[in-house]
Amino acid sequence: MSDASSSSESGQDILRQIDSDDLFEDTEAQQAKRRTAEQYVEHYAERDWGLAARQRRVQGAGKDVVTENTFELSPGKNVVFHEKQGQQAKVWDCALVLAKFLANETYFPRGFFADKRVIELGCGIGVPGLAAAALGAKEVLLTDMPLAIAWIQVNIARNQALGCIPSNVCARALLWGDHKALGVYRSFDVVLCSDLVYGHGDVSQKLVQTIVQLSHPRTLIVSAHEARLAGDRGAAFFSLLSAQQFQVEPSLWPHAEHLDTTRCHDPLLRDDELQVVLDVVTEDEERLVADECTSRLRRRRYEENHWDNVIVKFKEMERSRWSAETLRILQKVREAAVLPQELNYFPAVHVIELAEDGYIRPHVDSVKFSGRVVAGLSLLSPSIMRFQEEHGDSVIDAYLPRRSMYMITGRIRYHYMHAILPGTQLFREHVRVNRTRRISIMLRDEFAEEHVAKYHTPFVKPDKETQ
C-alpha cells in the first residue's frame, strides 16, 4: 500500500514538473501535422499540372493505354514522355519539377550542361535526364531497376525521333550499392536524383554509397524530393552526404531561418524574390513610429471588413506627412538594402493596424496600387505571413518578428497570394508565434507595364496530350 501510494505521489510530482505550455505545444504540433497532411493530400489531388491531373483525364482507360505528354522546359526546348499504369511507367510530379529546375538559367546558365556527363539514378521514365540531354549535356545515362529499362528506352527513342534529344542518351540497369556493377563506370559531372528520399536509412546509405562511387571531387548532385510528411524528409540522406564531405545546400534561401519552404516545389522561384530582414529599426524607433501611427488612428474604429474583402478588423491610412523624427526613420527604411533603389516609390506609406483578432486573407496585390515590389515593416507583434501559389499548391511561411521587414518581387509578387495568419500559430511545427495588435508600414513602387511582362513567368504545364 505504501509503495503504491509513494509511486502515485511520485507520478504526480513528475506531472507537476511538466510545463503546461509544453503539453500545449506537443498537442498543437500533432494537430498541425495532421492538418498539413490532410491539406497535402487535397492539394496533390487538385493539381492541374501533375500526375493526378493526367490520371483524371484517362480515368476508366485500361492499364495498357499509353498517353504521350509534351513538357516544355523553355521556349523551343521540349521533352516528351509516354505513360501507362505502373510505378515504373509513369512520371511523378517531382520529376517534372526537377526537369524544369534544370532549365532555370538562374541556377544553370545557358550552356552549363554542354561539357557534362550526367547520370540519373532511380529514374523511372527519366524526364530529368532527358531534360539534361535536351539542354545540351555531353552524355546522359538513365538508370533504374532491370524491369524499368525497356520503358525508358521507349521514351529515349521517342524523344530522339522527334529531335528533342541527341543520340548520346542510353539506359542501363543499376542497383544501388552494387560495387561490382558500379566499378565499370567512369565518374560523372552531374548526378540527378528525383524523389529517391523516403526516410529509410538503409536505402539512403546504399544511395549515398552509389553516389560516392560515381562522383569526382567536382561532381554536382542535384536532388529533389516531395515532402510527403512521412519519414525524415531526407534528413538521413543529406546527413550521409555531408559525412562523405559533400557540401549540401538548399537551392532556395539556404540560410533563411525565418522561412519555411518544406511545402514549396516551384522550380521557377528565385531566392531574391522573397526576403526577410531583421531589426530594420531599433526598439526606440519602433515605439516612436507606432505611437505616432496609433495617435493618428485613435479616433477610427476597427473595420470588420475591407472594401476588397481581404482585411478583417483593421484600421488604415495613407500618409506622407509625419513628424521630423518619423520621416527620418521612414527614410532609413526606404534605404534598406533589400529594396531595389532604382524604382520610383510612392511618397506616402500605407499604414495598416490589425486588431489582435484581425487578419489578412490570401490575396495578390492589384497592379493598380503596387508595382514590382511590395514591402512591409512589421511593428508591435510577430506574425506569420503565408504565401500560397495562386495556380498551384506550393506554400511558403515567413516568420516576421517585430521590427523586421519583408520584400516580395518577381514571381512571388505576381503569382503568390499572401496572408497574415490570425491568432497563435506554429512556425515549422514547433515555434509558437503569438499574434497581437500589429502595425505594418507598407512601401510600394509605381506600377510600370513592363514589370508584368518581365516578371510574369508562369509554370508551363504539360497539357499537350494524345492517347
Side-chain angles (χ1 to χ4, degrees):
M1 182 70 175
S2 60
D3 288 344
S5 175
S6 174
S7 175
S8 175
E9 291 174 1
S10 175
Q12 291 175 359
D13 289 341
I14 292 172
L15 286 174
R16 279 193 290 268
Q17 292 172 10
I18 298 177
D19 191 328
S20 61
D21 285 346
D22 291 339
L23 289 173
F24 174 79
E25 287 182 4
D26 288 343
T27 301
E28 190 163 329
Q30 292 301 322
Q31 292 174 349
K33 286 182 179 179
R34 284 194 293 273
R35 288 195 299 268
T36 303
E38 291 168 358
Q39 290 170 356
Y40 166 77
V41 172
E42 292 173 1
H43 289 157
Y44 183 88
E46 292 172 357
R47 288 177 185 169
D48 60 357
W49 57 269
L51 178 60
R54 297 195 303 277
Q55 288 182 325
R56 284 196 297 271
R57 291 197 288 267
V58 296
Q59 194 169 13
K63 65 178 182 179
D64 294 325
V65 171
V66 176
T67 58
E68 179 173 289
N69 305 270
T70 300
F71 185 70
E72 184 179 68
L73 300 168
S74 60
K77 290 193 181 297
N78 302 322
V79 293
V80 300
F81 55 91
H82 282 188
E83 280 186 309
K84 60 182 180 180
Q85 296 301 312
Q87 188 159 335
Q88 278 76 35
K90 56 189 175 186
V91 175
W92 300 92
D93 293 356
C94 187
L96 299 183
V97 172
L98 179 53
K100 194 73 175 178
F101 179 65
L102 298 179
N104 188 330
E105 293 185 2
T106 301
Y107 299 96
F108 303 95
R110 187 168 301 183
F112 173 86
F113 291 99
D115 60 346
K116 303 293 192 298
R117 299 182 69 245
V118 179
I119 185 171
E120 183 178 357
L121 301 176
C123 70
I125 287 178
V127 172
L130 294 172
L135 294 167
K138 178 181 177 182
E139 178 185 339
V140 176
L141 176 61
L142 305 179
T143 68
D144 208 313
M145 295 183 291
L147 59 87
I149 300 305
W151 196 246
I152 298 171
Q153 290 172 332
V154 167
N155 280 273
I156 292 173
R158 180 58 175 161
N159 277 274
Q160 290 173 339
L162 293 174
C164 298
I165 62 173
S167 59
N168 59 350
V169 183
C170 62
R172 296 283 186 274
L174 181 64
L175 299 179
W176 303 342
D178 187 343
H179 300 292
K180 184 177 180 181
L182 289 167
V184 304
Y185 295 108
R186 292 190 296 119
S187 58
F188 289 83
D189 304 300
V190 179
V191 179
L192 302 178
C193 304
S194 174
D195 237 356
L196 304 185
V197 177
Y198 293 93
H200 303 295
D202 55 341
V203 175
S204 293
Q205 191 164 15
K206 288 184 178 180
L207 175 58
V208 170
Q209 289 171 355
T210 300
I211 290 173
V212 169
Q213 282 196 254
L214 295 171
S215 300
H216 57 69
R218 296 179 61 84
T219 295
L220 173 66
I221 316 300
V222 187
S223 175
H225 67 279
E226 186 156 356
R228 291 182 173 82
L229 307 169
D232 63 2
R233 300 192 185 186
F237 171 67
F238 294 116
S239 176
L240 289 167
L241 277 178
S242 297
Q244 293 293 332
Q245 308 306 312
F246 284 93
Q247 183 178 349
V248 178
E249 292 183 358
S251 60
L252 289 173
W253 302 289
H255 307 297
E257 296 180 359
H258 290 78
L259 297 177
D260 180 359
T261 61
T262 55
R263 290 181 287 161
C264 178
H265 45 258
D266 185 343
L268 299 178
L269 288 183
R270 297 165 37 143
D271 54 12
D272 60 354
E273 294 177 337
L274 167 58
Q275 298 184 59
V276 177
V277 182
L278 306 184
D279 297 318
V280 175
V281 296
T282 66
E283 290 186 30
D284 288 341
E285 290 171 335
E286 176 191 37
R287 188 180 307 110
L288 191 151
V289 175
D291 285 349
E292 185 164 352
C293 290
T294 300
S295 175
R296 302 287 183 185
L297 293 168
R298 179 171 287 116
R299 295 181 180 274
R300 305 188 187 190
R301 294 181 178 180
Y302 283 113
E303 298 181 46
E304 289 297 320
N305 218 331
H306 199 250
W307 62 269
D308 58 2
N309 201 35
V310 166
I311 316 177
V312 177
K313 292 193 176 180
F314 70 100
K315 303 176 184 180
E316 69 175 340
M317 64 178 176
E318 295 272 351
R319 191 169 184 84
S320 57
R321 297 177 61 187
W322 299 91
S323 67
E325 187 61 19
T326 295
L327 282 174
R328 180 194 67 78
I329 297 168
L330 292 178
Q331 184 58 31
K332 171 184 173 181
V333 172
R334 291 179 186 277
E335 293 173 357
V338 72
L339 289 176
Q341 296 300 309
E342 72 275 11
L343 302 179
N344 295 319
Y345 292 91
F346 290 110
V349 295
H350 183 196
V351 179
I352 301 175
E353 178 182 325
L354 279 182
E356 184 168 349
D357 56 347
Y359 57 94
I360 300 178
R361 295 188 175 105
H363 68 287
V364 176
D365 283 11
S366 170
V367 294
K368 295 179 181 178
F369 309 110
S370 305
R372 172 178 148 192
V373 164
V374 177
L377 175 66
S378 300
L379 305 177
L380 300 184
S381 172
S383 59
I384 291 181
M385 177 173 276
R386 175 161 294 166
F387 298 89
Q388 166 72 55
E389 191 178 6
E390 190 173 20
H391 301 294
D393 60 353
S394 283
V395 175
I396 301 170
D397 280 347
Y399 171 41
L400 306 178
R402 293 174 60 172
R403 301 181 295 281
S404 68
M405 181 179 182
Y406 73 89
M407 187 281 297
I408 59 174
T409 187
R411 182 166 172 78
I412 290 276
R413 154 72 180 97
Y414 290 108
H415 295 287
Y416 277 69
M417 300 179 290
H418 58 276
I420 293 291
L421 304 186
T424 298
Q425 301 286 336
L426 288 179
F427 178 70
R428 291 185 173 173
E429 299 181 350
H430 66 277
V431 177
R432 192 193 303 182
V433 179
N434 296 311
R435 250 284 323 283
T436 58
R437 184 173 75 96
R438 175 182 187 266
I439 291 177
S440 58
I441 310 291
M442 306 299 302
L443 293 87
R444 297 181 173 92
D445 64 305
E446 298 176 9
F447 170 74
E449 193 70 43
E450 62 268 19
H451 289 165
V452 175
K454 181 176 181 180
Y455 294 98
H456 185 84
T457 53
F459 190 93
V460 180
K461 301 169 186 175
D463 54 2
K464 300 176 184 177
E465 182 176 7
T466 58
Q467 181 173 315

